[in-house]
């Protein structure tokens, strides 16, 4: 054997090329890379440790791992076939001895997935202290599995005074860098919303080195804990199944958190906006670059509170992306101003899709806004105002001169009058690739001349997108101009 192969770092680099790109395999499927690493581990003593480290580095607590248990293997792979989805129905839980057999290499696991809820009962008799993964840095887990990782004596008891003196099963999460908690698809798949929130909060408060956090709602004590984590860079919170009753009381027992000093990305996926608004009102994010709120229902009053809180969270000089979705289609007469967002001087993406109210936007406000956002690249604003918009063609083309880097524009426009001089071509804008101008369904006057202006000034626009058929005639003329130009270019190249 060459002496270089005796160096662990060299072997790890060589063996790492055996690992396949991530892919979705059927339950119980053993990938080629797993087979290759297992073969390398049995080649010689020198290969054993690095090959086993890579083989167990990323593990899914499902059929691929349960196949290591002698009793379960023949039940799973009957007649040499892959397991059927309900193979575990009626199978008794793992014993303590089988748990030791299953987890004998747990110290090698650095990334663990525990999502297979159909197999949950198999783990019900394993003592909590056997779930020991000292090298774990990434955990993706269903809320239903959390109770296996938290002992009954720990749950809601020791956490108030958690310290390094607590038993190993308390501090097992301390080194986690990536935590992702997933809510099952059905609301009755876990004990209750309150229990799930409590367990999630407990786990979050045990993590001392988190870099990314993605999970359903957690309580204010957990928010206070993560606000002190200097390692944290990304937080994704919520789902639409467990937030019907957010942590309460919302205001009475909550004080301002420590600044989230290094969080650059923050997102919420919720049914209502109250939880997110409360978090923003009590937080500072001096490094925040991306903010996203996706809610089922958002009133104009809540949107104003959100924008105001966002403008006061110390992110005016850092925030580059704001996305707000509200998909409940119930148009109201209330309007919302984007003026509070003008403080974000580094804004590059603004996507507002709010169908509960009108966004107060006309030519003057639009020009004021883009003047405050010189780096804007993606501007998409959709609201409940389907029948009328005060924004004109003149406003759009004037705006484009102030946004030389704009790539995508989606906005409502008044098409009843083409208020630009179609005989005088505006300056060419070479960055815009996607143009969606929503308007009522009536035809646009002087469609051919407008198509010529778009063709001349917006060379990367092949057609104008819209909801409805109002732009069909313009797009037909635009296609003819593009085809003629392409034909002329081809003819010129042949001469």
């Amino acid at each position: 054997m060459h002496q270089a192969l005796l160096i662990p770092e060299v072997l790890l680099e060589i063996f790492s090329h055996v690992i396949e790109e991530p892919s979705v395999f059927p339950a119980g499927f053993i990938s080629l890379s797993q087979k290759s690493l297992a073969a390398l581990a049995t080649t010689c003593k020198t290969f054993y440790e690095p090959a086993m480290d890579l083989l167990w580095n990323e593990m899914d607590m499902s059929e691929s791992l349960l196949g290591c248990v002698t009793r379960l293997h023949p039940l799973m792979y009957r007649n040499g076939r892959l397991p059927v989805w309900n193979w575990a129905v009626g199978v008794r839980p793992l014993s303590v001895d089988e748990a030791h057999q299953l987890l004998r290499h747990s110290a090698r696991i650095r990334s663990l997935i525990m999502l297979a809820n159909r197999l949950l009962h198999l783990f019900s008799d394993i003592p909590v202290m056997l779930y020991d993964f000292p090298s774990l840095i990434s955990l993706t887990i269903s809320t239903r599995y959390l109770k296996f990782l938290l002992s009954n004596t720990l749950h809601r008891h020791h956490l108030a005074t958690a310290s390094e003196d607590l038993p190993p099963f308390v501090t097992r999460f301390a080194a986690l860098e990536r935590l992702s908690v997933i809510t099952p698809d059905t609301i009755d798949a876990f004990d209750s919303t309150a229990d799930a929130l409590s367990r999630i909060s407990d786990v979050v408060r045990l993590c001392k080195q988190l870099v990314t956090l993605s999970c359903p709602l957690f309580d204010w004590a957990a928010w206070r804990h993560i606000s002190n984590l200097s390692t944290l860079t990304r937080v994704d919170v919520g789902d639409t199944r467990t937030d019907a009753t957010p942590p309460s009381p919302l205001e009475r027992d909550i004080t301002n958190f420590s600044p989230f000093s290094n969080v650059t990305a923050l997102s919420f996926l919720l049914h209502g906006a109250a939880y997110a608004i409360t978090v923003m009102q009590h937080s500072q994010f001096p490094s925040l670059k991306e903010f996203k709120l996706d809610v089922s229902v958002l009133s104009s009053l809540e949107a104003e509170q959100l924008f105001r809180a966002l403008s006061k969270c110390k992110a005016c000089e850092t925030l580059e992306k704001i996305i707000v979705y509200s998909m409940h289609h119930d148009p109201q007469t209330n309007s919302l101003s984007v003026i509070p967002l003008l403080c974000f001087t580094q804004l590059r993406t603004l996507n507002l899709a709010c169908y509960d109210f009108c966004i107060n936007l006309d030519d003057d406000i639009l020009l004021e806004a883009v003047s405050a956002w010189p780096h804007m690249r993606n501007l998409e604003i959709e609201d409940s105002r389907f029948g009328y918009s005060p924004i004109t063609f003149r406003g759009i083309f004037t705006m484009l001169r102030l946004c030389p880097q704009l790539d995508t524009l989606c906005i409502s426009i008044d098409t009843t009058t083409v208020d630009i001089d179609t005989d005088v071509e505006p300056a060419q804008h070479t960055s815009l690739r996607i143009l969606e101008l929503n308007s009522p369904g009536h035809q646009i006057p002087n469609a051919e001349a407008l198509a010529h202006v778009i063709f001349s000034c917006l060379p990367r626009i092949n057609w104008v997108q819209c909801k409805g058929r109002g732009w069909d005639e313009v797009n037909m003329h635009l296609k003819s101009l593009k085809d003629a130009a392409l034909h002329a270019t081809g003819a010129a190249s042949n001469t």
Side-chain angles (χ1 to χ4, degrees):
M1 181 183 296
H2 195 281
Q3 292 297 311
L5 297 179
L6 299 177
I7 304 173
E9 293 79 8
V10 174
L11 277 183
L12 280 173
E13 176 62 27
I14 294 173
F15 290 175
S16 66
H17 292 279
V18 174
I19 301 175
E20 300 171 323
E21 290 294 322
S23 184
V24 178
F25 297 111
F29 181 83
I30 301 175
S31 67
L32 177 60
S33 61
Q34 289 174 314
K35 294 177 181 177
S36 300
L37 289 171
L40 287 168
T42 59
T43 300
C44 62
K45 292 182 178 180
T46 303
F47 287 5
Y48 179 80
E49 289 297 331
M52 289 296 285
D53 284 344
L54 287 174
L55 180 61
W56 287 84
N57 181 62
E58 299 182 8
M59 190 54 59
D60 188 343
M61 195 79 85
S62 61
E63 281 84 0
S64 58
L65 184 59
L66 291 169
C68 299
V69 179
T70 303
R71 173 173 63 93
L72 299 182
H73 192 277
L75 298 176
M76 293 169 53
Y77 299 97
R78 294 172 180 170
N79 302 320
R81 298 178 180 176
L82 292 177
V84 295
W85 71 271
N86 62 344
W87 71 269
V89 174
V91 176
R92 73 175 188 272
L94 296 173
S95 66
V96 172
D97 289 340
E98 288 174 328
H100 280 291
Q101 183 183 3
L102 179 74
L103 300 172
R104 65 188 183 277
H105 293 292
S106 61
R108 302 179 189 272
I109 298 177
R110 295 173 61 81
S111 177
L112 180 64
I113 299 174
M114 303 177 73
L115 296 176
N117 292 306
R118 69 185 184 283
L119 306 175
L120 188 73
H121 69 284
L122 296 177
F123 302 94
S124 59
D125 290 347
I126 300 178
V128 66
M129 284 185 289
L130 291 186
Y131 291 99
D132 189 21
F133 306 97
S135 302
L136 195 64
I137 61 172
S138 177
L139 175 62
T140 302
I141 187 171
S142 164
T143 52
R144 295 191 67 192
Y145 278 92
L146 288 178
K147 59 185 177 182
F148 296 149
L149 302 185
L150 293 172
S151 71
N152 291 331
T153 56
L154 166 67
H155 188 57
R156 311 310 298 171
H157 178 66
H158 285 109
L159 284 175
T161 58
S163 69
E164 296 179 357
D165 297 329
L166 290 177
F169 62 84
V170 177
T171 58
R172 65 163 54 102
F173 301 101
L176 268 185
E177 296 179 5
R178 297 182 294 276
L179 174 62
S180 178
V181 182
I182 310 296
T183 304
D185 291 334
T186 54
I187 195 66
D188 59 352
F190 52 91
D191 301 353
S192 71
T193 298
D195 286 343
L197 183 145
S198 179
R199 288 176 183 146
I200 293 167
S201 302
D202 287 350
V203 171
V204 169
R205 292 165 65 190
L206 289 172
C207 299
K208 309 298 184 184
Q209 300 181 35
L210 279 181
V211 177
T212 63
L213 172 62
S214 175
C215 66
L217 307 192
F218 45 88
D219 63 24
W220 307 126
W223 274 104
R224 188 173 297 109
H225 168 73
I226 65 171
S227 72
N228 290 291
L229 298 182
S230 61
T231 54
L232 192 63
T233 63
R234 183 178 188 93
V235 181
D236 301 294
V237 179
D239 62 63
T240 55
R241 291 183 291 275
T242 62
D243 78 322
T245 306
S248 61
L250 284 177
E251 300 289 350
R252 192 175 65 220
D253 64 347
I254 181 173
T255 58
N256 289 344
F257 306 128
S258 300
F260 292 79
S261 56
N262 292 309
V263 171
T264 59
L266 175 65
S267 72
F268 295 92
L269 173 62
L270 305 166
H271 175 72
Y275 180 89
I277 292 171
T278 303
V279 170
M280 300 307 298
Q281 288 173 337
H282 292 82
S283 305
Q284 295 180 5
F285 295 89
S287 301
L288 193 64
K289 291 186 176 181
E290 300 179 13
F291 176 83
K292 179 178 179 180
L293 175 69
D294 189 340
V295 293
S296 300
V297 181
L298 180 69
S299 68
S300 60
L301 176 60
E302 288 176 322
E304 289 177 4
Q305 293 173 337
L306 174 69
F307 286 0
R308 189 160 52 247
L310 195 58
S311 67
K312 296 180 179 180
C313 73
K314 306 296 184 183
C316 289
E317 297 181 0
T318 61
L319 197 57
E320 298 178 358
K321 178 185 290 188
I322 299 175
I323 299 176
V324 179
Y325 292 143
S326 172
M327 300 308 295
H328 181 61
H329 292 263
D330 184 19
Q332 303 173 9
T333 57
N334 296 330
S335 63
L336 173 69
S337 173
V338 298
I339 298 300
L341 302 182
L342 301 189
C343 66
F344 300 110
T345 58
Q346 299 301 312
L347 203 58
R348 286 157 170 77
T349 295
L350 178 61
N351 190 335
L352 304 179
C354 304
Y355 298 104
D356 284 339
F357 45 82
C358 297
I359 296 176
N360 184 19
L361 204 60
D362 58 22
D363 285 353
D364 292 336
I365 297 175
L366 180 63
L367 295 181
E368 181 183 0
V370 296
S371 298
W373 304 325
H375 309 291
M376 183 61 68
R377 294 176 183 172
N378 298 281
L379 180 60
E380 302 177 59
I381 298 179
E382 300 179 77
D383 60 9
S384 64
R385 185 169 43 198
F386 297 109
Y388 169 75
S389 170
I391 295 176
T392 66
F393 284 103
R394 183 184 299 277
I396 292 293
F397 280 95
T398 303
M399 180 211 72
L400 289 175
R401 291 202 301 268
L402 301 176
C403 297
Q405 302 178 60
L406 194 65
D407 174 89
T408 300
L409 175 63
C410 172
I411 205 164
S412 297
I413 187 173
D414 176 14
T415 58
T416 56
T417 303
V418 178
D419 59 345
I420 55 174
D421 188 346
T422 55
D423 295 326
V424 178
E425 297 179 359
Q428 193 174 68
H429 191 290
T430 58
S431 296
L432 195 67
R433 294 186 309 109
I434 300 173
L435 179 62
E436 180 175 333
L437 299 177
N438 295 310
S439 58
H442 54 70
Q443 294 298 314
I444 298 173
N446 207 2
E448 184 175 2
L450 181 58
H452 181 77
V453 172
I454 295 173
F455 171 76
S456 302
C457 303
L458 307 175
R460 302 184 69 182
I461 298 299
N462 293 318
W463 68 89
V464 179
Q465 302 176 26
C466 67
K467 291 179 174 63
R469 304 180 60 86
W471 284 82
D472 286 358
E473 187 178 356
V474 174
N475 284 329
M476 179 187 68
H477 290 298
L478 186 58
K479 184 178 184 302
S480 297
L481 291 169
K482 293 280 184 179
D483 291 343
L486 184 62
H487 177 75
T489 303
S493 63
N494 292 327
T495 58

